[in-house]
Amino acid sequence: MRVISGSAKGRPLKAVPGMGTRPTTDKVKEAVFSMIGPYFEGGQVLDLFAGTGGLSIEALSRGMDRAVLTDVDKKAIDTIRHNLQATGLTERAEVYRNDAVRALKALSKREARFDLVFLDPPYKLKVIGELLEELQQGGLLADGARIVVEHDAEDRHEGDFGGLEWLRRAEYGDTAITIYRTRFEGKET
C-alpha cells in the first residue's frame, strides 16, 4: 500500500497488524479518486472505520485541508498515527479512537461539516443506512458533500437516501463502491 498521488505520492503505508482490518487496495483507491476528484481545492474529510487511514491520507495528499479519522481498534489508531507521520500529514489530521455513531454525535456537537466522507465498515456490520442517516441528522455534511461507501458487492445501496443523491456504484471483485452526494440547498443539481 502506498499514497498514489499528490504531495505524499509514493510514500508507503503500513498495514494494521492481524486480520481484523481489510485495507482498501491501491486499485480500488485509485478508482475511487478518479470518480470523486482526482484532486481537491481544500475541504474537510471524515474517515469512519479508518483502518490504516489510507483513504483520508490520499485525500489530504490530493488537496483536502484537514481530516478527522476514527476507528474503534487500538491497533488501527496506532497504524493511522504512524502513516500520518510517515507521510508528513500529522498536523492536518485529528485521530480518535471511538465507535462510529458516538464519533458522529461528538462531531455534530462541535458543529463540524465535511465535504468528503469515507464509510468503510466491516462487511459483517450492516450499519451503512444508520450512518448515512446520522450524518444527515447531525448536520455533518456540507452542500455538495460526497459520501464514499465501501461495502460487500452483494449488498445493494442504490437510489437516493434521504437528502443524499445516489451518484454511482462500481464493483471490484467482492468489493463495491457506492457514491452519494448531498443536494445543493436551494439549487437544482
Side-chain angles (χ1 to χ4, degrees), residues 34-163:
S34 73
M35 288 186 271
I36 63 168
Y39 297 98
F40 308 99
E41 294 181 15
Q44 308 289 317
V45 60
L46 172 61
D47 194 348
L48 295 171
F49 307 96
T52 64
L55 288 169
S56 52
I57 287 171
E58 189 73 34
L60 288 169
S61 179
R62 291 172 182 248
M64 282 291 198
D65 293 321
R66 296 206 44 81
V68 173
L69 301 89
T70 70
D71 204 292
V72 75
D73 182 354
K74 182 182 180 336
K75 289 180 195 171
I77 294 298
D78 293 343
T79 302
I80 292 165
R81 288 194 170 115
H82 173 274
N83 287 338
L84 284 165
Q85 188 165 5
T87 55
L89 297 169
T90 302
E91 297 302 314
R92 294 170 47 201
E94 299 173 44
V95 181
Y96 299 104
R97 183 176 179 199
N98 208 342
D99 165 84
V101 172
R102 287 181 40 207
L104 291 176
K105 289 184 186 306
L107 290 165
S108 180
K109 286 180 185 172
R110 285 177 35 190
E111 297 183 4
R113 286 176 60 89
F114 297 95
D115 303 287
L116 178 60
V117 177
F118 294 111
L119 290 180
D120 185 11
Y123 289 174
K124 68 182 182 218
L125 294 182
K126 304 299 182 192
V127 296
I128 290 169
E130 176 186 358
L131 295 172
L132 291 173
E133 185 79 30
E134 192 69 41
L135 282 163
Q136 293 175 79
Q137 287 182 349
L140 292 162
L141 301 170
D143 283 352
R146 294 183 190 262
I147 300 92
V148 177
V149 182
E150 186 172 333
H151 56 90
D152 190 314
E154 292 181 12
D155 293 341
R156 306 307 292 180
H157 297 284
E158 295 177 339
D160 295 351
F161 189 97

Side-chain angles (χ1 to χ4, degrees), residues 26-41:
D26 285 351
K27 174 186 170 186
V28 172
K29 189 169 28 171
E30 196 153 7
V32 164
F33 283 92
S34 73
M35 288 186 271
I36 63 168
Y39 297 98
F40 308 99
E41 294 181 15

